[in-house]
Amino acid sequence: MKFHIQTWGCQMNDHDGEKLSGLLSAEGFEAVAEAGDADLVLLNTCSIREKAVHKVYSELGRLREEKQRRPLLVGVTGCLAQQEQAALFKRAPHIDFVLGTMALRQLPRLVAEAQAGRGRVIDTGEYPDNHLFPPQVARRRDTAKALVTIIEGCNHACTYCIVPTTRGTERSRPFADVVAEVRGLVEAGYREVELLGQNVNSYAGGCTFAELLARVAEVDGLEWLRFTTSHPMNFTRDLARELVTNPKVAPFLHLPLQSGSDRILKRMLREYTIDQYLERLGYLGEGRSRLALSTDFIVGFPGETDEDFEATMQVLETVQFDASFSFIYSPRPGTPSLRLKDDLPMPVKSERLARLQQRQAELTLASNRRFVGREIPVRIESRTATEQGWWLARSGEWKTIHLAAGPGRELPFGELVQARITQASPHFLGAELV
């Protein structure tokens, strides 16, 4: 049987896709690049925003038509599967099975039952050891950076967020297992890893998260260590110190803010004020100037006034984020924010988002221009050069680099090279090989 996995969403979903691919490969199934060549199509879904859900249902509609033309098994996993569960069968009756986020290892069983003709197979149960997935099973994609899950679930209760429903409460892997996995990845040729969790700062696998970073950084051969995502309430002085002093921890921090208004943050149940957020950034000390800082914003949250939005713009000016990810509030089923009155017209929300994103583009361009003329290490992330002759690379600050190496020059995939930055845009840095 040939299979194809389509993944939407975050890095956690990306890594879940690698786990699912490994489970199917261990059963003798063959991965193919196109859904049209597959006997089994698995949709590994996201439900954090309504737009992501629409994309999944659009693909399900296409697969329904394809299934009418030929034998085909269709499975749905990921956060939408955990959220909707059996209701998915009502909206898309051609789905053969539904697999929850906490039951990944049940995939071979569900596929076998679907192959045997059992209709509407489902498992969205919470298995107590689901976070202890054997890392050697994962079938990793051809990437320069390896993903490593250290904690799953979230104990916070943000009113807009579906994650506690779709991912459950926090479960941490033992630190020895994490270190062993990273050591194995380095032995396999990876030089960069990213530690994953809905809230990595809450890690409690026998040590603190700051201590885990220090232990992982001791692995010989590891060059860069990243992590995502952090909750400001759990961002400690020890973590900040490790981030700015450990040479293996990449100089990049993503610390979601969501709003610049204390009133909106309270309605979101984010558990901190703007002053507390800024205090945590202060933990970085002088090291703040040496790293890139990104954040998240939700625009148009129920009850957001002009004054609330202006407060967000003011924080944007105060902090001068190097990058941000911003979206219009997306109501999610079962979340407490659905009980809040959301009467702000969409044109107003769209205008606010456009204004925020325009200012962020200006700030990002200013941040990128500071790199022009510098020589920095960058990691090669493409196997070949583009038609324009440049190679894709990344800096430690997670800047996208378009690297010119000269005609016929081959660059080592996954390795660090020295680059001189020659130009800047809001989206990438142009560079030449030193």
Side-chain angles (χ1 to χ4, degrees):
M1 175 174 278
K2 296 178 180 179
F3 71 91
H4 174 74
I5 300 177
Q6 297 185 40
T7 295
W8 292 265
C10 63
Q11 294 95 323
M12 185 76 79
N13 271 26
D14 287 338
H15 192 33
D16 281 352
E18 295 177 329
K19 296 175 182 178
L20 295 165
S21 182
L23 288 167
L24 293 173
S25 297
E27 296 293 316
F29 297 170
E30 177 188 352
V32 293
E34 302 295 334
D37 298 327
D39 307 299
L40 163 64
V41 174
L42 189 59
L43 304 186
N44 184 24
T45 65
C46 172
S47 65
I48 195 72
R49 284 181 292 275
E50 193 172 24
K51 184 176 181 180
V53 173
H54 287 164
K55 289 180 179 179
V56 174
Y57 280 116
S58 176
E59 181 62 11
L60 281 171
R62 190 193 68 78
L63 291 173
R64 179 183 63 243
E65 297 177 359
E66 187 164 348
K67 197 169 182 178
Q68 292 170 349
R69 297 192 298 268
R70 65 182 181 91
L72 177 66
L73 290 181
V74 176
V76 179
T77 187
C79 290
L80 183 62
Q82 191 69 39
Q83 173 187 311
E84 297 295 324
Q85 304 196 13
L88 276 168
F89 294 122
K90 295 181 179 179
R91 184 161 176 178
H94 58 290
I95 295 174
D96 293 286
F97 64 89
V98 171
L99 177 68
T101 58
M102 293 170 273
L104 293 190
R105 277 186 275 184
Q106 306 307 310
L107 176 62
R109 174 177 61 80
L110 267 63
V111 172
E113 291 179 6
Q115 285 179 299
R118 278 195 57 192
R120 300 188 174 185
V121 183
I122 184 170
D123 193 337
T124 54
E126 298 185 19
Y127 292 81
D129 61 346
N130 68 84
H131 61 297
L132 303 177
F133 189 94
Q136 68 275 11
V137 173
R139 182 177 179 269
R140 295 187 176 272
R141 297 172 300 136
D142 186 24
T143 56
K145 176 185 67 178
L147 304 175
V148 176
T149 300
I150 66 167
I151 180 174
E152 296 198 23
C154 184
N155 289 351
H156 292 279
C158 303
T159 56
Y160 56 83
C161 187
I162 196 67
V163 166
T165 299
T166 60
R167 290 285 181 173
T169 55
E170 293 172 356
R171 293 98 58 205
S172 296
R173 293 176 59 196
F175 72 83
D177 290 0
V178 175
V179 174
E181 180 176 357
V182 172
R183 186 175 294 113
L185 289 167
V186 172
E187 291 173 354
Y190 289 97
R191 295 293 176 262
E192 180 176 342
V193 299
E194 184 168 10
L195 306 183
L196 302 180
Q198 276 73 40
N199 179 12
V200 290
N201 300 355
S202 291
Y203 177 79
C207 64
T208 67
F209 181 54
E211 291 168 341
L212 179 67
L213 287 179
R215 293 171 190 263
V216 172
E218 291 174 352
V219 174
D220 289 338
L222 180 68
E223 294 172 341
W224 282 346
L225 175 60
R226 302 184 186 274
F227 58 88
T228 192
T229 294
S230 293
H231 193 291
M233 280 304 294
N234 307 105
F235 189 79
T236 65
R237 293 182 185 275
D238 287 343
L239 176 54
R241 187 180 306 111
E242 197 68 31
L243 175 59
V244 299
T245 62
N246 192 320
K248 288 190 178 181
V249 179
F252 174 80
L253 173 63
H254 183 70
L255 195 63
L257 174 58
Q258 307 303 1
S259 174
S261 163
D262 284 341
R263 191 180 73 86
I264 294 299
L265 289 175
K266 186 175 181 179
R267 288 169 73 85
M268 291 177 169
L269 282 186
R270 286 295 286 172
E271 304 176 31
Y272 54 83
T273 64
I274 294 303
D275 285 346
Q276 289 171 326
Y277 182 92
L278 297 178
E279 177 188 12
R280 281 153 178 77
L281 291 184
Y283 296 167
L284 299 168
E286 294 181 357
R288 164 70 178 90
S289 64
R290 299 193 296 273
L291 59 83
L293 177 67
S294 71
T295 195
D296 293 337
F297 289 112
I298 296 175
V299 173
F301 189 78
E304 182 186 76
T305 64
D306 289 340
E307 291 75 18
D308 294 321
F309 178 70
E310 290 304 325
T312 294
M313 295 299 294
Q314 182 56 54
V315 172
L316 187 65
E317 294 299 330
T318 298
V319 178
Q320 303 270 304
F321 293 100
D322 297 271
S324 67
F325 303 88
S326 51
F327 307 92
I328 291 174
Y329 165 73
S330 183
R332 309 310 306 129
T335 57
S337 63
L338 288 179
R339 297 193 295 267
L340 302 176
K341 188 176 182 181
D342 183 14
D343 57 359
L344 191 65
M346 183 55 69
V348 175
K349 295 180 181 181
S350 299
E351 187 276 332
R352 289 178 181 175
L353 180 67
R355 183 179 160 200
L356 187 152
Q357 291 181 339
Q358 174 60 37
R359 181 54 183 145
Q360 181 61 71
E362 295 168 356
L363 292 173
T364 300
L365 177 58
S367 169
N368 287 349
R369 281 175 172 164
R370 289 194 286 269
F371 283 81
V372 174
R374 291 173 53 189
E375 293 185 7
I376 61 173
V378 300
R379 189 173 309 283
I380 305 301
E381 293 199 342
S382 59
R383 292 283 183 181
T384 59
T386 66
E387 293 181 358
Q388 294 77 23
W390 51 262
W391 296 70
L392 178 64
R394 298 273 186 181
S395 72
E397 297 84 2
W398 199 237
K399 302 286 187 179
T400 299
I401 311 294
H402 292 178
L403 179 61
R409 181 76 179 268
E410 293 294 320
L411 297 184
F413 175 78
E415 299 297 325
L416 288 177
V417 299
Q418 203 70 6
R420 180 182 298 108
I421 307 303
T422 58
Q423 60 178 303
S425 82
H427 309 293
F428 66 90
L429 296 173
E432 58 187 15
L433 195 65
V434 174

